[in-house]
Amino acid sequence: MSSAPNQMPTLNELPTVADFARAFRRIQGEIHKVIVGHERAVEELLIALFAGGHVLIEGVPGTGKTMLVKALGQALNLSFSRIQFTVDLMPADITGTRVIVSGEDGRREFRFSPGPIFCHILLADEINRATPKTQSALLEAMAELQVTVSGTTYPLQPPFFVMATLNPIEMEGTYPLPEAQLDRFFFKVRLNYPEESELVKIISTTTGPELHKIEPVFEAGEAAGRIEALKRLVREVIVAPDIEQYAARLTRATVPEKSKFILNKEGLARDEAINRYVSFGSSPRGGQALMLGAKVCALLDGRANVSYEDIERVAYPSLGHRLTLNYAAEADGIDPAHLVQKVLKSVRELRGH
Amino acid sequence: MASPLQRRLKNRDDGLGRIAAQLSRVKHRLNLLALQQLAFSVLGLIIGTGGVLVIAAFFLSATHFLVLGLLLAAGLVMGLPIAVVRAVRRFAAFERAAAIADQRAELNCRLGTLLAIEPAEGKSPLWPFLVEDTVSRLDEFGPDRIERHRISRAAYGFAAACLVASLAGLMTYSARRHQEALRKVLKSLTFEVDPSEIAPSDNPSGEGAQLEGDPDTLRNLAERLEAANQNHQGAGHHSLRQLSRKAQNLASNLQDRLTGRDLRDTPEKVKLRLAQALGDKPPSPPDEGGSAGDMANTPQHEGQQSGGGAGSAPRHQAAPSTQELADNDNSASGPESGAKPPDSPSAKSFNPGGPQGPGTGDTAAPGTQAGSSEEASGQSAGNGSDPEHLMGPPDAPSHKSENFEIMIDARLSDRSPIASAQPYVPPKVKTSLNTYQHPDEPLDRGTVPAADREAVRRVFER
């Protein structure tokens, strides 16, 4: 707990709130050396990383998705892999497979050859271009940090952080992610098209003779340990019961009243928009994401406790992609962000004063 | 009342104790303001409503005043509980004070979390950091930072209500002074009113009118008035109209009390007395045995009291006008309206046709004729005055006892919006004619020229 201001604690020591905020801001700063704009997206990406989740990044081509992930890997000084998902990609191409190798004594044996998933940071580029079978190969790895091949389970080294990108255009020949897989992503981060001033800066910084180099924030050997310690600190953040109840109520409020999977209707959505446009609301994973994301926000703000504002700050990236909208929403052009705002407004009265 | 959590925290010497002590101060400030709001809002509502009511009494008619009074009463009945509930809701317990401090000092739920998690203290390694962090912000949630007002803003409303009430009081005081001055000026005045100038009162209840006469006549009059009333109004509307009239009376009385126009409790009353317009005989000396009644209060009445001695003809001619007044007014119906029942002592004490009447009427023979018998006075009254008997003397003296007189008990009032010391008497203005104007004079009768006579004759023949 007690460490000098500019000195990182030892690996066995729990970092302080100030250590966390400092490390976070440094990583953020390094990434922004090469990523112009997208401040909100970068922050959400880091929140998901320290909360122990995975991120789905949605953006049109050329907005810096791959660049963002590479920059993160460099800043954290962690191993980094990239898989370009295509329609003929097989699960073994991701997880690895058993191959026959000849030993020194000439005997041949099966040996496991790890796939690209065995890394700390994995970029699954255009994940919706692979078949659902291949997409599902990621599920076990993302949820349980392990891979099972031919009956043998291979653990992944923490931290394990998957960033999948989605291309919202060119939907021909794509396989939209099933809801179960979407739910496994902690946040969905949207990379919007850069503004004019940002575009000018992008053009000037990427076409000049000197390219910015990213300095790693952590030492190579201890980066994983440091990040894991910071992740442990996140879970120690104190939450008052009222705020836990607020997060739970917010999550339940995304479920429409007509849902047949809910027996007790108390605390469900009172907003007509939710009942009209949402087929399925957020799963409990949405509530977990809300709370863990809020804890990271609290640490970033130099606090050891979660506030209502922290919950609301991560409401959209946590809940937006967990809302399954119906055809009426598509016809009316309803955006999940709009619905999340409605839910926030309807539940805000719960905030105790 | 300190909560158990508050007591436990305040007894500690560490950071939590300091935080609790600061929160207690915040709580006291908030509760003091809530108490002030309760007192100011309730008092302000009551005083303001009263003030508005008094001011309205000066400017509104009785009906409008009644409506406004009902609206204000309804507003008060609804507003008081709302004001009380709103004020009571502002009372803060320890936890609520923490929530308010969190919000206003932007502490991001630090205090709320501390109070909520305190029983489970020590479970998180970040707990000491939270306490230290909050202690370092003690100044940020001092009472002056959280609630800088020491006086509730409801005091403004209370002050406004007091202002309205002061204005109302000033107006009432001024009006009462004016009425006192007016009463002193008019104390010794008696007005003689020509009966032809009497119009029905604005007050539909006919308050102040008093009929006196012999019991038979009054009973007869009451029955005829009742019958006339029943002809005019349906039975279903009767009770509703009575209720409405009572409400209006109540409002009018209240209005008079508030504005100081109510002088009924004062001994001095100016009486208007009907002049004997048709008889036009000077009033006779006071009748000691007649109905002194209310008239005894003013000396002028003693001089003008003609009692039953007034001739029967004028008295008989006054009766139809009274009835007409009552019919128009729908007042004075039955015994409620001032027509005293036959057994009433005052009614019995005044019997104009009885032997006590001195008999000073025109048609009746002085001394002997009047007062000798009711029959005689009835016959003399019928001759030439009653349309039923225009064709000759009646077969039987059907109205032989319908002799009564009207005494109008009028009260002083000044209904003008701006009170003045003297009643307004319109000046008599005579403007001289200019050179182009000529006084109205009858045209001289001229002669028709001879050439036109034939034409004029044909025109008039046609």
Side-chain angles (χ1 to χ4, degrees):
Chain A
M1 289 288 294
S2 57
S3 58
N6 291 321
Q7 191 178 355
M8 293 299 282
T10 61
L11 285 176
N12 295 329
E13 223 173 81
L14 195 64
T16 62
V17 176
D19 292 336
F20 182 92
R22 195 164 44 244
F24 193 100
R25 297 297 175 205
R26 274 193 67 192
I27 297 167
Q28 218 174 358
E30 290 300 324
I31 291 174
H32 279 298
K33 281 182 180 174
V34 293
I35 299 292
V36 178
H38 301 309
E39 285 84 4
R40 183 79 191 242
V42 171
E43 188 177 271
E44 286 172 357
L45 195 73
L46 291 178
I47 288 172
L49 167 71
F50 287 110
H54 310 282
V55 172
L56 187 62
I57 303 174
E58 186 182 61
V60 293
T63 47
K65 297 187 290 291
T66 310
M67 174 74 83
L68 174 61
V69 176
K70 283 169 76 174
L72 179 65
Q74 289 173 355
L76 294 176
N77 211 355
L78 294 173
S79 58
F80 165 75
S81 295
R82 178 177 181 271
I83 306 171
Q84 180 67 49
F85 278 56
T86 54
V87 72
D88 55 353
L89 189 75
M90 299 303 289
D93 297 334
I94 299 172
T95 58
T97 187
R98 288 160 65 95
V99 294
I100 300 174
V101 293
S102 299
E104 290 179 356
D105 54 358
R107 293 175 61 184
R108 294 182 175 182
E109 59 178 7
F110 279 104
R111 191 178 293 172
F112 179 68
S113 174
I117 201 170
F118 286 87
C119 64
H120 290 298
I121 297 175
L122 174 69
L123 170 62
D125 216 354
E126 296 194 272
I127 190 174
N128 54 339
R129 296 207 174 274
T131 59
K133 182 182 176 184
T134 309
Q135 290 171 359
S136 299
L138 272 176
L139 289 178
E140 185 187 6
M142 286 167 63
E144 298 169 32
L145 271 83
Q146 63 183 27
V147 172
T148 302
V149 178
S150 300
T152 307
T153 300
Y154 302 94
L156 299 172
Q157 289 298 312
F160 178 66
F161 184 48
V162 175
M163 288 176 288
T165 64
L166 268 179
N167 191 344
I169 57 174
E170 293 181 51
M171 299 304 284
E172 286 289 326
T174 61
Y175 301 89
L177 285 173
E179 277 74 21
Q181 197 158 342
L182 270 177
D183 194 36
R184 280 175 166 76
F185 286 101
F186 190 84
F187 278 177
K188 182 177 181 182
V189 176
R190 183 177 288 178
L191 288 183
N192 295 318
Y193 201 82
E195 293 174 9
E196 188 177 328
S197 58
E198 292 172 346
L199 192 57
V200 169
K201 199 171 178 185
I202 288 170
I203 292 170
S204 66
T205 53
T206 54
T207 55
E210 285 186 12
L211 296 178
H212 289 290
K213 279 191 71 177
I214 294 175
E215 298 290 332
V217 175
F218 303 112
E219 295 296 326
E222 57 183 29
R226 296 281 181 211
I227 291 171
E228 283 305 299
L230 293 174
K231 283 166 73 176
R232 279 201 308 276
L233 181 71
V234 169
R235 294 190 171 258
E236 297 291 352
V237 172
I238 303 164
V239 185
D242 287 349
I243 293 174
E244 284 173 345
Q245 192 187 357
Y246 182 68
R249 185 66 69 92
L250 195 59
T251 309
R252 269 177 72 87
T254 60
V255 181
E257 279 180 319
K258 62 190 175 196
S259 174
K260 60 183 177 183
F261 299 106
I262 288 202
L263 298 179
N264 184 5
K265 307 280 185 186
E266 190 187 349
L268 287 186
R270 272 170 295 172
D271 195 283
E272 190 52 38
I274 295 292
N275 290 325
R276 188 172 173 195
Y277 296 123
V278 177
S279 296
F280 300 99
S282 168
S283 70
R285 279 199 189 100
Q288 292 171 338
L290 266 182
M291 189 51 70
L292 280 170
K295 285 184 172 185
V296 177
C297 289
L299 288 176
L300 267 181
D301 201 27
R303 278 181 284 115
N305 67 291
V306 173
S307 70
Y308 293 106
E309 287 75 18
D310 297 329
I311 298 277
E312 292 184 0
R313 189 170 161 188
V314 295
Y316 172 65
S318 303
L319 301 176
H321 65 288
R322 290 184 165 93
L323 301 182
T324 307
L325 306 188
N326 55 24
Y327 288 115
E330 198 175 337
D332 291 350
I334 296 296
D335 188 64
H338 171 74
L339 294 173
V340 172
Q341 286 302 320
K342 290 258 184 189
V343 170
L344 280 175
K345 196 176 173 185
S346 67
V347 181
R348 202 162 276 162
E349 63 192 35
L350 253 185
R351 295 167 60 158
H353 286 304
Chain B
M1 281 293 288
S3 67
L5 178 64
Q6 184 183 0
R7 277 197 297 272
R8 194 170 68 242
L9 292 181
K10 277 186 78 172
N11 292 333
R12 298 172 57 140
D13 293 332
D14 57 0
L16 265 181
R18 292 172 62 192
I19 293 168
Q22 186 76 308
L23 261 182
S24 291
R25 286 190 281 275
V26 172
K27 182 187 143 191
H28 288 148
R29 173 70 61 90
L30 292 172
N31 287 346
L32 185 67
L33 282 173
L35 192 67
Q36 287 179 19
Q37 184 183 350
L38 179 67
F40 284 142
S41 53
V42 169
L43 287 176
L45 263 177
I46 293 172
I47 292 174
T49 305
V52 170
L53 200 67
V54 171
I55 291 174
F58 282 91
F59 297 108
L60 297 184
S61 68
T63 309
H64 289 161
F65 179 71
L66 177 67
V67 171
L68 181 72
L70 289 175
L71 287 177
L72 285 178
L76 196 64
V77 166
M78 286 192 296
L80 275 180
I82 291 172
V84 169
V85 167
R86 284 184 64 182
V88 166
R89 276 187 186 168
R90 292 196 65 173
F91 280 97
F94 199 55
E95 289 77 5
R96 186 160 179 275
I100 291 172
D102 267 336
Q103 187 195 17
R104 296 189 184 172
E106 296 180 355
L107 292 174
N108 292 103
C109 301
R110 283 182 176 90
L111 294 171
T113 305
L114 274 175
L115 295 185
I117 303 295
E118 191 271 340
E121 175 192 354
K123 285 188 175 176
S124 168
L126 290 180
W127 176 261
F129 174 81
L130 180 59
V131 174
E132 283 175 29
D133 182 35
T134 312
V135 168
S136 70
R137 296 165 193 269
L138 269 183
D139 292 339
E140 291 180 24
F141 61 98
D144 289 331
R145 289 280 187 89
I146 302 302
E147 183 57 74
R148 61 189 174 88
H149 296 285
R150 288 175 186 271
I151 305 291
S152 170
R153 269 172 286 189
Y156 294 122
F158 177 72
C162 287
L163 205 66
V164 171
S166 309
L167 186 64
L170 203 66
M171 289 174 71
T172 307
Y173 175 70
S174 168
R176 283 195 180 278
R177 278 193 63 186
H178 167 67
Q179 292 288 340
E180 287 289 333
L182 194 66
R183 193 169 50 199
K184 280 178 186 170
V185 169
L186 300 177
K187 189 173 181 182
S188 57
L189 288 182
T190 298
F191 296 97
E192 294 214 345
V193 181
D194 191 324
S196 63
E197 294 175 352
I198 294 177
S201 166
D202 285 344
N203 186 355
S205 67
E207 187 185 357
Q210 189 176 10
L211 297 178
E212 295 191 7
D214 63 279
D216 288 341
T217 307
L218 287 176
R219 195 186 311 116
N220 193 2
L221 180 63
E223 285 169 1
R224 288 171 64 181
L225 288 173
E226 186 75 25
N229 271 340
Q230 283 181 356
N231 286 339
H232 273 85
Q233 58 196 19
H237 298 288
H238 187 67
S239 57
L240 191 64
R241 294 188 68 166
Q242 266 190 337
L243 196 66
S244 155
R245 195 177 305 140
K246 280 181 180 174
Q248 267 192 329
N249 287 345
L250 191 69
S252 181
N253 289 343
L254 180 61
Q255 212 173 358
D256 285 348
R257 276 186 183 282
L258 291 175
T259 55
R261 291 196 289 243
D262 184 22
L263 298 178
R264 279 179 300 181
D265 52 344
T266 58
E268 298 83 12
K269 293 180 180 176
V270 173
K271 311 262 173 156
L272 299 183
R273 182 168 181 81
L274 290 179
Q276 294 178 339
L278 297 177
D280 274 350
K281 265 237 161 187
S284 62
D287 177 15
E288 292 178 4
S291 75
D294 295 333
M295 314 291 278
N297 288 333
T298 39
Q300 286 75 16
H301 280 294
E302 290 174 7
Q304 293 176 354
Q305 185 80 31
S306 61
S312 58
R315 270 187 258 131
H316 193 73
Q317 285 180 358
S321 68
T322 307
Q323 187 175 348
E324 194 178 302
L325 184 145
D327 281 342
N328 289 338
D329 210 358
N330 279 340
S331 63
S333 58
E336 295 174 351
S337 62
K340 295 185 179 172
D343 296 337
S344 163
S346 68
K348 277 183 178 174
S349 66
F350 176 63
N351 189 357
Q356 297 95 331
T360 57
D362 290 338
T363 55
T368 57
Q369 187 80 355
S372 61
S373 72
E374 293 178 358
E375 199 169 318
S377 64
Q379 279 178 346
S380 62
N383 291 335
S385 60
D386 191 345
E388 291 180 11
H389 308 142
L390 286 176
M391 303 306 293
D395 294 338
S398 57
H399 300 298
K400 58 185 178 181
S401 63
E402 288 186 355
N403 299 325
F404 58 90
E405 76 171 22
I406 300 171
M407 288 188 293
I408 299 172
D409 185 4
R411 285 178 284 116
L412 273 178
S413 65
D414 183 6
R415 302 270 175 178
S416 61
I418 302 170
S420 58
Q422 294 294 336
Y424 175 75
V425 179
K428 289 185 178 175
V429 180
K430 191 167 184 180
T431 311
S432 57
L433 300 175
N434 60 29
T435 53
Y436 300 103
Q437 290 177 318
H438 303 283
D440 292 338
E441 289 174 358
L443 293 172
D444 294 335
R445 189 184 181 89
T447 54
V448 180
D452 298 334
R453 274 182 194 159
E454 185 57 29
V456 171
R457 191 185 60 80
R458 280 205 305 273
V459 167
F460 280 99
E461 274 178 0
R462 196 189 306 165

